[in-house]
């Protein structure tokens, strides 16, 4: 009996070693995968983005966006436990090629860690990167680089991302926001509750280059970013494109520029026949939709188009490279058409000039309204919030009264979420746009791809198939990584319980 058991263990260990050996040896040449995720971007958002893009560029209605030229199919988005997924389960479907429950990050529906495409690529000696405009610890980037039972465990996610878990450092380049989960809450901009400074600790895991603003990013990008490199350009999510100060180089780089720098760096730093895996997320497309803010939503989409063009140009000049762009889900129940009074015949109108006049996101305007300490709130609302901010010159009495109302202590009477929705609907209504929810919906989303061997992506697929396709293209075995994550048996690195969010929710965090 003992002999048989020992033989079984030897054979099992040998099988794992053989599988891993062939996984590492089967590629034979460089292949690159660029996974682009337009978070919360449904079919209506693409039509909206295209129409607004054509309007601002003075293009004809037949002009195609960079995404339109790549359309190959659609993706089904449901999670294990709901027809309506969240970003955690949606991204895990891509990264692990399996369904899981909402809120789960890099684990299956039983809460067991699953190997990700990023980790499997790293095991082959490929370079890996994450480029986002959310916190890097947010659901989508986390699902490729961490393993926790709940997405709100962002302190633990940050630990995994720097390499403080069983596999060690797996990410070579990470750019985005979320600095607060890397710093103790006793320092400016920090929110960790355990006193750890992960930026300092990251040196122990091989991170050699840290960037905290646009100036440092641009300096290190010449001639190309050295690796490993960590860029944390905001304590929280990076600013919306419409709110980003485009003239101040001490602030944040654009998604387009981060993607271009990442592609150049990964190409120049990758060894012979190695290649890379890169995930790029237009994170805040989703958050604009959560706020029902058509202005922020539109400008994030336009920035995503610019980023897609950069990536497509790279793919066209680099053989054995593919780009896949899709969404984890749709957000907002966004509709291109709005009937304010069901008793009257609807007006089929599209008013892009309404969106063009707006200069700030409703998120920033809500913060400005709460920060106002003056005595003439109504005048401030009319001129600064509605007039200068949203370009609304014809506010109604109801709009002015709602936004000007205060508590006895002078603070706004409505809650921040109520003001966000109110402002978003005020401008949406004028542009004849509609929303059904401030959450997600369960509709299928568009699937885009470019490069060689993408024929199998045509048609309608479960979101997990995208993960399977990328794994097959790179010739990696996710199961090998899953088995490595299961060792040792006690899994002291893995926290199997969730005791509540490590930090209270921000004004808008995305779901």
């Amino acid at each position: 009996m003992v002999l048989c058991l020992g033989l079984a263990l030897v054979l099992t260990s040998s099988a794992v070693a053989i599988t891993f050996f062939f996984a590492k040896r089967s590629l034979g040449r460089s292949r690159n995968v660029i996974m682009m995720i337009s978070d919360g971007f449904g079919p209506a958002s693409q039509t909206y983005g295209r129409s607004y893009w054509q309007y601002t560029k003075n293009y004809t209605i037949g002009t195609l966006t960079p995404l339109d030229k790549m359309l190959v199919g659609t993706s089904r988005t449901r999670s294990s436990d709901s027809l309506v997924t969240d970003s955690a389960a949606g991204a895990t479907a891509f990264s692990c090629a399996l369904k899981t429950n909402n809120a789960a990050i890099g684990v299956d529906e039983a809460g067991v860690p699953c190997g990700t495409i990023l980790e499997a690529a790293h095991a082959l000696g490929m370079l890996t990167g994450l480029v986002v405009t959310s916190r890097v610890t947010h659901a989508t980037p986390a699902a490729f680089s961490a393993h926790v039972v709940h997405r709100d465990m962002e302190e633990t996610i940050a630990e995994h991302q720097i390499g403080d878990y069983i596999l060690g450092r797996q990410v070579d380049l990470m750019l985005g926001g979320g600095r607060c989960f890397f710093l103790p809450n006793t320092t400016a901009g920090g929110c960790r509750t355990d006193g750890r400074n992960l930026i300092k600790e990251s040196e122990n895991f091989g991170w050699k280059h840290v960037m905290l603003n646009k100036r440092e990013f641009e300096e290190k990008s010449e001639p190309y970013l050295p690796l490993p490199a960590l860029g944390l350009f905001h304590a929280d999510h990076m600013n919306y494109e419409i709110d980003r100060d485009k003239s101040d180089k001490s602030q944040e780089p654009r998604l387009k520029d981060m993607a271009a720098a990442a592609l150049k760096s990964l190409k120049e730093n990758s060894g012979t026949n190695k290649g890379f895996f890169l995930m790029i997320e237009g994170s805040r497309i989703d958050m604009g939709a959560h706020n029902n803010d058509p202005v922020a939503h539109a400008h994030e989409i336009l920035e995503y188009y610019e980023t897609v063009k950069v990536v497509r140009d790279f793919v066209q000049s680099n053989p054995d490279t593919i780009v896949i762009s899709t969404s984890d889900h749709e957000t907002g129940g966004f509709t291109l058409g709005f009937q304010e009074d069901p008793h009257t015949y609807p007006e089929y109108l599209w008013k892009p000039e309404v969106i063009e006049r707006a200069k700030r996101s409703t998120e920033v305007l809500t913060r400005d309204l709460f920060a106002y300490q003056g005595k003439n709130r109504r005048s401030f609302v009319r001129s600064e919030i509605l007039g200068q901010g949203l370009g609304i010159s014809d506010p109604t009495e109801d709009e002015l009264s709602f936004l000007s109302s205060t508590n006895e202590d002078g603070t706004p009477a409505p809650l921040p979420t109520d003001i966000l929705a109110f402002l978003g609907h005020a401008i949406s209504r004028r542009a004849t746009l509609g929303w059904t929810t401030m959450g997600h919906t369960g509709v299928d989303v568009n699937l885009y791809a470019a490069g060689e061997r993408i024929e199998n992506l045509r048609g309608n697929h479960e979101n997990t198939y995208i993960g399977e396709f990328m794994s097959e293209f790179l010739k990696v075995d996710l199961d090998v990584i899953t088995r490595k994550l299961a060792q040792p048996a006690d899994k002291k690195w893995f926290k199997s319980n969730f005791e509540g969010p490590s930090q209270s929710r921000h004004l808008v965090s995305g779901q």
Side-chain angles (χ1 to χ4, degrees):
M1 180 66 179
V2 173
L3 178 62
C4 291
L5 179 60
L7 180 60
L9 288 172
V10 170
L11 290 175
T12 301
S13 300
S14 299
V16 172
I18 291 171
T19 301
F20 189 61
F21 173 80
F22 281 109
K24 292 190 71 171
R25 296 285 293 181
S26 62
L27 193 57
R29 66 183 185 280
S30 172
R31 284 188 179 182
N32 309 313
V33 167
I34 306 160
M35 173 81 202
M36 298 189 70
I37 300 175
S38 47
D39 200 317
F41 180 77
S45 294
Q46 168 59 2
T47 305
Y48 172 61
R50 180 197 305 119
S51 299
Y52 188 65
W53 176 76
Q54 290 168 344
Y55 171 80
T56 59
K57 300 287 187 180
N58 199 28
Y59 291 154
T60 65
I61 60 173
T63 307
L64 298 179
T65 70
L67 269 182
D68 287 319
K69 299 173 184 179
M70 296 165 49
L71 181 65
V72 295
T74 54
S75 170
R76 304 190 291 272
T77 61
R78 71 170 304 148
S79 65
S80 288
D81 58 351
S82 178
L83 176 64
V84 181
T85 190
D86 79 333
S87 291
T92 298
F94 302 143
S95 67
C96 289
L98 54 77
K99 295 284 188 180
T100 193
N101 300 326
N102 284 350
I105 295 286
V107 298
D108 63 20
E109 56 188 350
V112 177
C114 53
T116 73
I117 181 74
L118 182 147
E119 293 166 332
H122 190 270
L124 288 186
M126 300 174 68
L127 293 179
T128 61
L130 299 171
V131 174
V132 300
T133 51
S134 66
R135 300 189 295 269
V136 296
T137 52
H138 209 236
T140 301
F144 289 84
S145 55
H147 305 273
V148 294
V149 295
H150 198 285
R151 57 183 294 164
D152 281 347
M153 299 170 68
E154 293 191 57
E155 292 188 10
T156 303
I157 290 168
E159 294 164 17
H160 290 192
Q161 288 176 326
I162 66 166
D164 189 9
Y165 77 124
I166 188 171
L167 298 182
R169 183 180 58 78
Q170 300 293 294
V171 188
D172 296 296
L173 177 63
M174 188 158 59
L175 306 175
R179 192 164 59 241
C180 75
F181 286 105
F182 292 79
L183 295 172
N185 57 14
T186 54
T187 62
C191 57
R192 292 190 65 86
T193 59
D194 58 6
R196 295 179 65 179
N197 184 330
L198 296 190
I199 293 179
K200 185 175 182 179
E201 289 184 33
S202 69
E203 298 174 7
N204 301 329
F205 298 95
W207 294 94
K208 297 179 180 179
H209 309 277
V210 177
M211 301 159 286
L212 302 180
N213 54 55
K214 182 179 179 181
R215 178 183 54 78
E216 294 175 354
F217 166 77
E218 291 180 338
E219 288 176 353
K220 288 186 178 294
S221 294
E222 293 299 331
Y224 53 85
L225 284 172
L227 300 178
L230 173 63
L232 298 172
F233 304 114
H234 198 288
D236 194 3
H237 303 305
M238 294 175 68
N239 284 301
Y240 284 117
E241 180 64 20
I242 194 170
D243 298 326
R244 188 175 53 81
D245 189 338
K246 301 172 179 59
S247 62
D248 188 348
K249 291 196 173 185
S250 68
Q251 301 304 313
E252 309 165 11
R254 296 172 58 180
L255 179 64
K256 167 189 172 182
D257 295 335
M258 291 191 294
L263 290 169
K264 186 176 183 181
S265 175
L266 293 172
K267 178 182 178 179
E268 296 297 332
N269 283 291
S270 59
T272 304
N273 296 333
K274 292 299 182 181
F276 62 80
F277 172 82
L278 173 64
M279 192 283 288
I280 302 170
E281 184 189 32
S283 317
R284 306 218 68 191
I285 296 173
D286 170 69
M287 298 174 197
H290 273 295
N291 291 349
N292 291 181
D293 179 354
V295 178
H297 193 55
H299 285 270
E300 293 303 304
I301 293 170
L302 297 189
E303 180 65 13
Y304 192 76
Y305 288 166
E306 291 292 317
T307 307
V308 168
K309 185 179 185 303
V310 168
V311 174
R312 285 186 69 245
D313 289 345
F314 181 90
V315 171
Q316 290 172 357
S317 59
N318 289 273
D320 284 326
T321 301
I322 62 169
V323 55
I324 298 172
S325 175
T326 192
S327 308
D328 44 0
H329 53 75
E330 192 275 346
T331 300
F334 188 40
T335 62
L336 307 183
F338 178 73
Q339 185 178 5
E340 186 169 7
D341 184 355
H343 300 100
T344 62
Y345 192 78
E347 293 184 289
Y348 298 122
L349 300 174
W350 159 230
K351 301 177 180 179
E353 67 276 7
V354 172
I355 305 301
E356 186 178 40
R357 285 196 296 264
K359 303 304 179 185
R360 285 288 181 263
S361 71
T362 60
E363 180 177 311
V364 163
L365 294 174
T366 298
R367 290 173 179 159
D368 289 347
L369 187 55
F370 269 79
Y372 180 71
Q373 300 292 322
K375 296 182 179 180
N376 196 339
R377 181 173 293 272
R378 185 183 178 91
S379 176
F380 178 76
V381 166
R382 178 189 287 273
S383 64
E384 299 299 322
I385 302 299
L386 296 177
Q388 294 296 320
L390 292 183
I392 294 176
S393 59
D394 59 344
T396 66
E397 177 60 33
D398 287 344
E399 288 171 338
L400 292 172
S401 296
F402 178 83
L403 294 171
S404 302
S405 60
T406 60
N407 299 310
E408 291 183 1
D409 62 0
T411 59
L415 296 173
T417 51
D418 294 332
I419 294 176
L420 279 171
F422 191 88
L423 291 174
H425 294 171
I427 191 167
S428 295
R429 184 171 60 252
R430 288 170 169 84
T432 67
L433 303 169
W435 309 84
T436 66
T437 178
M438 295 185 82
H440 302 168
T441 65
V443 302
D444 292 359
V445 295
N446 290 348
L447 176 60
Y448 306 90
E452 301 176 6
R453 294 180 287 275
I454 62 170
E455 293 76 16
N456 289 342
L457 287 173
R458 300 192 185 279
N460 180 265
H461 303 281
E462 281 293 337
N463 51 10
T464 52
Y465 178 74
I466 296 168
E468 295 170 7
F469 179 87
M470 293 189 295
S471 298
E472 173 58 29
F473 182 83
L474 291 180
K475 302 298 182 185
V476 298
D477 189 339
L478 301 183
D479 290 338
V480 170
I481 306 301
T482 299
R483 288 192 287 269
K484 292 186 72 174
L485 291 168
Q487 303 297 324
D490 60 9
K491 292 192 293 186
K492 291 182 179 179
W493 66 273
F494 180 67
K495 298 177 181 178
S496 59
N497 64 311
F498 172 58
E499 298 176 351
S502 55
Q503 185 185 27
S504 60
R505 287 284 187 178
H506 295 251
L507 181 62
V508 177
S509 63
Q511 298 168 9

